[in-house]
Amino acid sequence: MNCRVKICGITSLEDALHAVNAGADALGFVFYDKSPRYISPEAANAIVALLPPFVVPIALFVNADESLVNALISDSKRWIIQFHGDESPESCAQYAVPFYKAIRMKPGVDLQVEVERYSEALAILLDAYKPGVPGGTGETFDWHLIPENLAKPVILAGGLTVDNVAEAVQAVRPYAVDVSGGVEKEKGLKDPDKVALFIKRAKGLLPVL
């Protein structure tokens, strides 16, 4: 199984190219202005215009106004959207671009039901739940809560690091893993060495000592 890797919270061209050169399949850009990893649509589109083919840019929104989403995707046709808030299936599907839906693993969540609700999503992203925090908690959740044979590909997020990603991939067998804080020097600034090591371990290219 070839696990794909998304490096999220990209704020500079330098970090983007480091991640791409290390083998990242996708880059995430955060358009939630309360996040320390926020980037403006203009700055993000300038970076995306310089990305090589086959690298997918992912736009992360949290209960965003339609005007913000449309302003981003009107300037570049490369985007996939990741809805990370309380967006309804109808609001997610209204844009003419593919999307993922993030589901926070709070107590009582029924993933089978959520997958059925967001039937038009390309995939679901599973993240840790922390009240009042839509993402980027740096915390893991119990991976055994993920049922087998979900009808959508799973993107695993939540507290992943160079130390636990190999274990996570083996336990969950996700389509992809998503990391942000786990490969940073400080919030919004990536550590190239951690990025490279994370990608190698996620893809099974380097044994864990």
Side-chain angles (χ1 to χ4, degrees), residues 7 161-162 179 181-185 190-200:
I7 305 297
T161 68
V162 296
V179 67
V183 292
E184 287 181 332
K185 293 180 180 177
K190 301 304 181 211
D191 182 323
D193 293 334
K194 286 184 179 180
V195 168
L197 183 56
F198 183 94
I199 292 170
K200 286 180 180 178

Side-chain angles (χ1 to χ4, degrees), residues 74-90:
S74 65
D75 284 343
S76 176
K77 303 304 180 187
R78 294 184 64 172
W79 291 104
I80 289 176
I81 299 178
Q82 177 181 318
F83 291 104
H84 216 95
D86 302 313
E87 301 89 357
S88 68
E90 293 75 23

Side-chain angles (χ1 to χ4, degrees), residues 6 82 84 102-103 105 124-128 136-137 139-141 143 146 154-160 168 174 176-180:
K6 173 189 166 206
Q82 177 181 318
H84 216 95
I103 299 172
M105 295 296 291
I124 57 167
L125 182 144
L126 303 182
D127 202 356
T137 65
E139 300 175 2
T140 59
F141 63 90
W143 301 324
I146 305 173
V154 169
I155 303 168
L156 182 64
L160 297 178
V177 289
D178 183 324
V179 67
S180 185

